[in-house]
Amino acid sequence: MDEGQADATASSRVNSARSAEQYLGDLDERLAQDNLDNLLNRFAYTAEDAREGRPNPSPVPIDGDLRTGLASLQQALKHYHAFLTEQNPNPDRATQQAQVARLTRAEIEAAMDDCDRLGLAAFLARGSFVKPQVWVAGEDRGERNYPAKAVVAAAMGHLPGGRPPGAKQFFGGFGEPQAFARLEALGYRLLRPEAEGEENPFSRDAVEAAMDDFEEYRASGAHADDFAGFEEPTGYWVRSTRPRPDPWFPSKPIVGKLLHKPASAFSGGWSQPQTAAALLHNAGYVITDESDQPLPLPESHSHLMRGAERARLVALNYFIAPAREAGKPAVTIRVGDLHDMSGLVRNWANVCQALEGPKFRTLAAVSEPRRTGPVRGASTEYTFSLIPTASMPEVPAGELSMSNTKPTNLILFGPPGTGKTYATAAEAVRLLCGEPVPEDHGELMKVYRQLSDERRIEFVTFHQSMSYEDFVEGLRPETVRNENEPATSAGFQLEPRPGIFRQIASSAESNRGRSARADALHLDGRQVYKMSIGNSALPQDAPLFAQALAEGCTIFGFADLDWSDPRFAEPAEIASAMQRLDDWAGVKPGSPSVRMTDIFRNRLKPGDILIVTRGNLLVRAVGEVTGEYEFHPRPEGDYGHRRAVRWLWSDAEGVPATEFYRKKFSQLTLYPLVPEDLNVPVLERYMNSRTPEEPAAPDPFVLIIDEINRANVSKVFGELITLLEEDKRLGRDNELRITLPYSGDRFGVPQNLHIIGTMNTADRSIALLDTALRRRFTFRELMPDPNVLSSNVDGIDLQKLLTTLNDRIEYLFDRDHQIGHAYFIRCETKEDVDDVMRHKIIPLLAEYFYEDWSKVAAVLGDLTPQEGDIDGAFLVRRRLTAPAGLAGDEMAPRYRWKMKEGAFSYQNLQP
């Protein structure tokens, strides 16, 4: 179990946890469905509980001392949870450091052998390592490169008695410096990400220049030093993007020229990330066989670029750039041609999405294309104007495109009580709706709540425990189940989960804006269903989703039978027919497969809404059912059941499912969702998204961060500090994406996401913002405004009172510690003012002046020059008598201060 525990101790703790299962149910399922802290709270029992004789709060009977027994169960549950998630709660850092210091090249080479034997993906997964940022070069291994940290961890397992730590156990997750230092000490070369601004060796100009040289080598023998050592290719050619008599080139010598490497230094195929054909493929070049047929992409080669990202680069290299070089005013791209060149399989919808989106327009410096042909199919054509940007057609009046959305990074700062948090509502509504903002606060908050319900406004308060994992993304334990089967707990693993920033950024990036059509869709009278189209974890099911989008339908599996016959309106008939098939012989009328088939065939009605998921955590499409059941058998069998669907919104990457539904989606392929748990405003926003034919006008989104300086900002934001800059946003000239550390996803910040923060300048318990973050935000000061207060509340002039208080505070302390008008804004009687002064203002002044009550009295106007007692308007001072033996003239007088009993007098605060 855990390192550092005796076997008997570990066994005892597992048995203790298991013994609780008879009262709690299966612990694997409970820990998969509930937070560990929530489970531990059921066994919480304090010393005060014991003193009061309170009963056992848990369902587990305890023999002996109740508090000790419950604490023991809590500890057992903690260790059992660590056992399930394969985490070591107390990794032995010193032991690991000593093991790293003992490593020799023999252990490192053995770890590299492990990587070669298992393959990169399995090697990383074995220790739960994410996609590496730093590699170690295997110079004697055909120039293969290996993940540096994972290799060191695996090498530790080859030491006598050693055990390879996982990513979370390796020095508590922070073993990189020691790992890298040891590799360099052993003579290995580390390969780090290219520095920003370095020349790309695989740019189109560089690749084509290498091809020019190879043509000269073919014709005259020139550049023999570069190419003579390479043999004739056997399986991988690269197609030039420029008109040439012979446009096909062997991949290996071209890459050798680009990297200045000899033929013996690397491979010419594409089975590894650093092989020749793989490098050219990922640069947007077409890899072909000897007949110039684009090669299909093996599913096992996960390092090969796929989907929309691949289609965008191929379109730029083979269509846009050549047309520009030829001086053409426009170029037309046929989806089927680009699809086949990109090596995709029945994925035309992804190609259409790539050509329609703002990412490609920014990448290729083109305006929105003109589409002809079907909505999304192989014969769809997109025509792009290549006229210089200044002459491009303007976006229609009133429409906002990604290219002219100016992001706002704003921090409202000032003393406490100046209405900073209050002001964020008006600022958010202004950014989302434009001017004018409703003057009436009630109307303003009504609009604010509506936008918040639509999840276009998110609010988060920073605190000292806030982390990068909470804000951007982190690892969370998830159950491992078959996507098409009901919940039957089958294990546990850590999965990357997006934090609040990544969630709203994903929503903003995938947004297409609200449709301008008059017949807006609403959920009234419609049933909403969760549906999976294929198993997202299976590569062979991947084309199903793209096919469903392209052909305007949803696709359902479960038994290759035609359910069109009217008798299948009864679930019993469906079960009876399935039982005749070998694979379904054991089903019953109540089995999940029968229930889901009955829903698809009989319960779905035209007008119902489908939420299509990607796994359990993401939603990738919303559609409206428009047709009845149809049977379309497939040659390979399965997935022959269809319903026509009008797809209202889709995003292949997906957005967080929590936007749509308050509960966690189950693994069932198809089932109705509970209306009370739906986020109706959000779902209706997606239902009414713009179609590809309408001008792109994404909705703006706002993230409000209250008390932004209360957290460790550099730690919480991480690399976002750079991505937040206006010119680094997606679609801008200097667009920047980074690879997230846990998921390995490429991530950038969209332009239509605005950030508003608040910062209290008076709280001395928190740190100031660092310079890097200050440079990326606009700061707007909010200071106390006495004019918003009443000049007569039972004879008290609140305007003069606040002005006097703040003048004295600024004199004795500084302007950042003034008192805001919000403290008095709701005072309607003298008693209200007394209450605010007694319970808020005077304690705040005592905090400001570190319990120096003479300064508090000076601010309140109660301080007098004499050394005797004081009966002030707010404070009472009594001189203390020195103990016997200490009295004397040399002793300074000491006083006891306290607040005055009864009503206060305000004459000294209204000069």
Side-chain angles (χ1 to χ4, degrees), residues 398-419:
E399 299 293 350
L400 183 66
S401 70
M402 285 292 288
S403 61
N404 60 21
T405 300
K406 185 174 181 180
T408 294
N409 295 332
L410 172 67
I411 289 181
L412 305 176
F413 71 102
T418 53

Side-chain angles (χ1 to χ4, degrees), residues 483-484 529-550 552-558 600 610-615 618 620-623 634 639 641-643 645 647 649-650 667-670:
E483 186 173 284
N484 290 326
Y529 292 85
K530 175 264 184 185
M531 186 171 188
S532 302
I533 299 180
N535 188 331
S536 61
L538 299 178
Q540 62 268 30
D541 284 3
L544 291 172
F545 176 67
Q547 182 182 356
L549 294 184
C553 66
T554 186
I555 303 174
F556 181 75
F558 293 98
F600 190 84
L610 296 179
I611 294 178
V612 179
T613 59
R614 178 185 172 196
L618 298 171
R620 56 179 175 176
V622 174
R634 298 157 55 94
Y639 294 104
H641 314 294
R642 294 191 176 193
R643 300 289 291 262
V645 170
W647 294 111
W649 168 87
S650 67
Q667 302 290 335
L668 295 174
T669 296
L670 177 64

